[in-house]
Amino acid sequence: MTTDTRRTGSRWLQNWDPEDEEGWDSRIAWQTLWITTFTLTLCFITWFLPSAIVPKLNDIGYSFTQTQLYWMAAMPGLAAGLLRIVWMVLPPLMGTRSMVALTTALLFFPLLGWGVRVQEPTAPYWELMVLAFLAGIGGGAFSGFMPSTSYFFPKRLQGTALGLQAGLGNFGVSLVQLLTPWLIGFSMLGFLGNSQVMELAGRANQEVWYQNAAFFWIPFVLVGAAWAWLALRSVPVKANVRQQFDIFRNPDTWYMTLLYIMTFGTFSGLSAQFGLLMKNLYGAGNPEIVQGAGESAQLLIEGYAVPEAVKFVFLGPLVGAGARVLFSPLTDKMGGAIWTLISGIGLIASIGFTISALVPDTTSAATLDAGFDRFLWGMLAIFLFAGIGNASTFKQMPMIFERRQAGGVIGWTAAIAAFGPFFFGIGLTLMTPTIFYVIGLVFAVMCVGITWWRYARPGAPSPAEPHTRPTRETRGKT
């Protein structure tokens, strides 16, 4: 990392070197981690807010098709992928303080928009798609927050530090999906708007306040932006946009991109589509199970209790985020490559198990219940192994690349993997879930092969520790 001595002032750290154990200020590093983790959690909450709202839009008065809903749930992923390419170059240009504070403040706009537009089913489809795109700002932030945090920690702690930040930030996904059903159940404050009537299959209508799901987070966003602006400092890293793109001449950039697509692409894609997929396979969206809507809905399978997706969808992101936090210290101790290998093998097994539950057996309530249980446990296993891989790949990258490049690679791989919700949405629109999952299984097999050949096997050409690779000066010497 090269410091830029032209940047001065109390908000810029001078001569910052985390590898200097005597001069490194751990207090500043950990304070930066906790502030940026808090704001990153708010970013993930905003990013995945549409995934908690979109499955219920038709129940509160809208009349969108399944294809339109899949596209709407996919749009934040498309936005996040595009915006991460922008955010990945911001840490050296703006500094941690300005980037984190201003990004957090931007979350105000999609939260306000969703809170207003769910109150009446009058918004045109294009407007909700715009709001879904703006929610992607929260996903784009990841490629700026993570590299900037890596500047503050020595390599020996980066697995733990980045794992904690990303894992706790990922909890924002399950947090918004877990709290939304509770938040919409009461008026909270009268000035937040009127209630809506939510139609439930085969049950009495329910009065809800869906705007609470968005408005509740706005005070936290304002506090987070102010906290970041007042308390954070920045590391003056010298790297213009052209210099940052030299990472693309390194083949490991492309290999690690594929591996992070396997892990975080799967985590984010399934987090966004889990609720719709469950509803359309085992819930009211399957015409072989329920015909009609609202109070007129007719249950076709006697004795079958239609699962409410909102009661289950938070579990997947919760498991994935928890795995990322818990396994990060293990990657510091054992290295990232071995855990990426375990992650890939586990994904192959869990995807294969889940495929058997993607065509519901509607002959009876018992067969549907058994299929739903298999589907749920298979999905949770996928989230578990994806979370492990999210931790291990972020340990690998700071070890494979030098510090400035590592930040860029982290941002780039995160940008591409953030397209997960978009590609999962498109895939589930264009093909059956079974075909889509088979493609995912084949991709995981390929990634396991790359991990073993490039990083995990004895004598691998690019092992986890950079000092074990021969340099130009030592190559050929004994």
Side-chain angles (χ1 to χ4, degrees):
M1 179 179 64
T2 303
T3 59
D4 185 354
T5 56
R6 294 172 297 175
R7 287 175 170 173
T8 60
S10 61
R11 295 302 179 182
W12 291 92
L13 298 170
Q14 303 302 320
N15 302 316
W16 178 263
D17 183 8
E19 303 303 333
D20 178 7
E21 292 190 10
E22 293 184 0
W24 177 56
D25 190 334
S26 62
R27 181 189 62 81
I28 292 177
W30 286 104
Q31 175 179 275
T32 301
L33 177 69
W34 298 128
I35 295 174
T36 55
T37 298
F38 174 73
T39 53
L40 183 63
T41 303
L42 295 172
C43 288
F44 271 85
I45 287 170
T46 304
W47 185 20
F48 280 86
L49 178 66
S51 73
I53 292 178
V54 168
K56 289 298 183 182
L57 285 177
N58 286 353
D59 295 336
I60 58 176
Y62 284 97
S63 55
F64 298 124
T65 65
Q66 279 192 11
T67 299
Q68 287 177 311
L69 293 176
Y70 271 126
W71 272 98
M72 197 183 301
M75 183 53 64
L78 173 64
L82 295 174
L83 294 174
R84 283 188 178 190
I85 297 174
V86 177
W87 256 261
M88 66 176 279
V89 303
L90 295 183
L93 301 179
M94 296 181 64
T96 300
R97 175 194 180 222
S98 296
M99 181 197 63
V100 172
L102 295 177
T103 300
T104 305
L106 286 176
L107 303 178
F108 172 83
F109 297 101
L111 291 174
L112 178 65
W114 278 107
V116 171
R117 277 320 208 170
V118 295
Q119 295 185 48
E120 297 288 344
T122 56
Y125 182 67
W126 68 264
E127 187 175 330
L128 294 182
M129 289 290 279
V130 169
L131 290 175
F133 186 91
L134 291 177
I137 293 172
F142 187 86
S143 284
F145 284 37
M146 297 294 288
S148 71
T149 299
S150 73
Y151 298 154
F152 289 84
F153 286 88
K155 287 187 175 183
R156 63 183 175 83
L157 290 176
Q158 288 202 12
T160 298
L162 296 182
L164 284 172
Q165 180 169 44
L168 294 175
N170 289 169
F171 276 123
V173 181
S174 56
L175 195 61
V176 70
Q177 294 174 341
L178 172 64
L179 291 184
T180 293
W182 173 71
L183 290 172
I184 66 173
F186 56 95
S187 63
M188 195 173 292
L189 296 173
F191 67 86
L192 292 182
N194 299 322
S195 65
Q196 306 90 47
V197 175
M198 184 165 66
E199 298 179 345
L200 302 174
R203 282 172 281 175
N205 293 343
Q206 179 182 351
E207 185 180 18
V208 294
W209 291 261
Y210 245 97
Q211 64 269 26
N212 293 354
F215 288 157
F216 177 78
W217 303 108
I218 290 179
F220 294 96
V221 163
L222 298 178
V223 169
W227 189 19
W229 184 258
L230 295 173
L232 287 180
R233 301 177 75 181
S234 301
V235 176
V237 177
K238 183 179 181 181
N240 59 35
V241 174
R242 182 182 59 81
Q243 289 172 323
Q244 292 186 65
F245 281 101
D246 65 358
I247 61 175
F248 299 119
R249 295 195 294 268
N250 190 328
D252 285 308
T253 298
W254 302 104
Y255 291 129
M256 292 308 302
T257 299
L258 291 174
L259 298 186
Y260 200 57
I261 290 172
M262 175 185 71
T263 60
F264 187 77
T266 298
F267 171 84
S268 62
L270 287 183
S271 294
Q273 301 296 337
F274 194 10
L276 278 174
L277 189 61
M278 183 183 298
K279 181 177 180 179
N280 292 334
L281 290 177
Y282 288 94
N286 188 337
E288 295 184 14
I289 297 175
V290 178
Q291 285 187 347
E295 293 181 327
S296 62
Q298 180 184 2
L299 181 64
L300 301 181
I301 311 298
E302 184 178 354
Y304 178 62
V306 180
E308 274 292 308
V310 294
K311 296 181 180 179
F312 297 96
V313 292
F314 75 92
L315 291 172
L318 181 67
V319 169
R324 189 168 196 165
V325 172
L326 294 175
F327 281 84
S328 290
L330 294 178
T331 66
D332 273 336
K333 292 181 179 180
M334 301 173 61
I338 183 62
W339 284 108
T340 300
L341 187 68
I342 293 171
S343 167
I345 294 172
L347 283 170
I348 292 170
S350 52
I351 292 172
F353 177 83
T354 308
I355 287 174
S356 64
L358 297 178
V359 180
D361 184 348
T362 58
T363 55
S364 68
T367 56
L368 271 176
D369 286 334
F372 176 74
D373 289 342
R374 197 161 59 250
F375 168 77
L376 180 61
W377 284 109
M379 291 288 286
L380 295 182
I382 293 173
F383 276 107
L384 171 66
F385 288 107
I388 293 173
N390 287 339
S392 62
T393 50
F394 264 51
K395 172 60 179 179
Q396 286 181 266
M397 286 181 272
M399 305 306 296
I400 295 170
F401 303 90
E402 59 97 3
R403 183 175 295 275
R404 178 184 60 77
Q405 283 194 324
V409 174
I410 288 171
W412 166 256
T413 57
I416 300 304
F419 285 111
F422 177 72
F423 286 121
F424 271 66
I426 300 306
L428 293 171
T429 299
L430 298 178
M431 62 191 75
T432 66
T434 299
I435 294 175
F436 185 74
Y437 273 60
V438 168
I439 293 173
L441 188 149
V442 172
F443 182 76
V445 170
M446 180 190 72
C447 288
V448 165
I450 291 173
T451 303
W452 173 253
W453 168 73
R454 186 73 180 176
Y455 304 109
R457 67 181 172 89
S462 187
E465 296 291 342
H467 62 262
T468 63
R469 290 179 291 184
T471 65
R472 181 176 297 176
E473 290 75 16
T474 60
R475 190 177 291 113
K477 298 181 181 180
T478 58

